[in-house]
């Protein structure tokens, strides 16, 4: 999932795939980091779509389990946003 979180045009397709491949009692765990911290809210929109009342890609129960902020990023860009990348 992480490779599609930042590919926002694919959010509904990703949710559709999860919905149609999981067993009815299945659980999907999604982990990710933001490639562009300035677009964090756009990345997180996938979770808003997931809880929408929509039989095609929505009706999920979304529960945030944990958020881990890593102290460093392997690809330092020195743009003032490195601490926000995971």
């Amino acid at each position: 999932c992480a490779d599609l979180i930042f590919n926002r045009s694919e959010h509904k397709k990703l949710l559709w795939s999860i919905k149609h491949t999981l067993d009815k009692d299945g659980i999907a765990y999604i982990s990710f980091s933001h490639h562009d911290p300035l677009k964090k809210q756009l990345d997180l929109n996938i979770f808003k779509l997931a809880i929408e009342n929509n039989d095609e890609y929505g009706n999920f129960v979304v529960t945030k389990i944990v958020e881990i902020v890593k102290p460093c990023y392997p690809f330092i860009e020195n743009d003032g946003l490195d601490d926000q990348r995971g």
Side-chain angles (χ1 to χ4, degrees):
C1 294
D3 286 341
L4 290 176
I5 292 288
F6 72 92
N7 193 347
R8 294 157 207 99
S9 65
E10 303 303 310
H11 283 176
K12 289 181 182 177
K13 292 176 187 174
L14 174 61
L15 292 169
W16 183 93
S17 294
I18 293 169
K19 186 173 190 90
H20 290 88
T21 56
L22 272 182
D23 186 68
K24 72 175 188 145
D25 296 322
I27 297 174
Y29 292 96
I30 299 175
S31 65
F32 59 93
S33 64
H34 301 288
H35 294 272
D36 184 348
L38 294 177
K39 296 181 180 174
K40 178 180 178 177
Q41 292 308 312
L42 295 173
D43 293 346
L44 296 176
N45 190 55
I46 192 169
F47 300 108
K48 290 179 183 176
L49 292 171
I51 62 174
E52 280 184 7
N53 185 16
N54 185 303
D55 290 333
E56 189 144 337
Y57 61 80
N59 297 323
F60 285 96
V61 174
V62 174
T63 305
K64 182 177 180 178
I65 297 172
V66 67
E67 180 174 344
I68 299 170
V69 178
K70 295 184 179 184
C72 67
Y73 183 72
F75 305 105
I76 302 299
E77 296 183 26
N78 294 316
D79 59 1
L81 300 171
D82 292 321
D83 289 340
Q84 297 176 41
R85 291 186 181 87

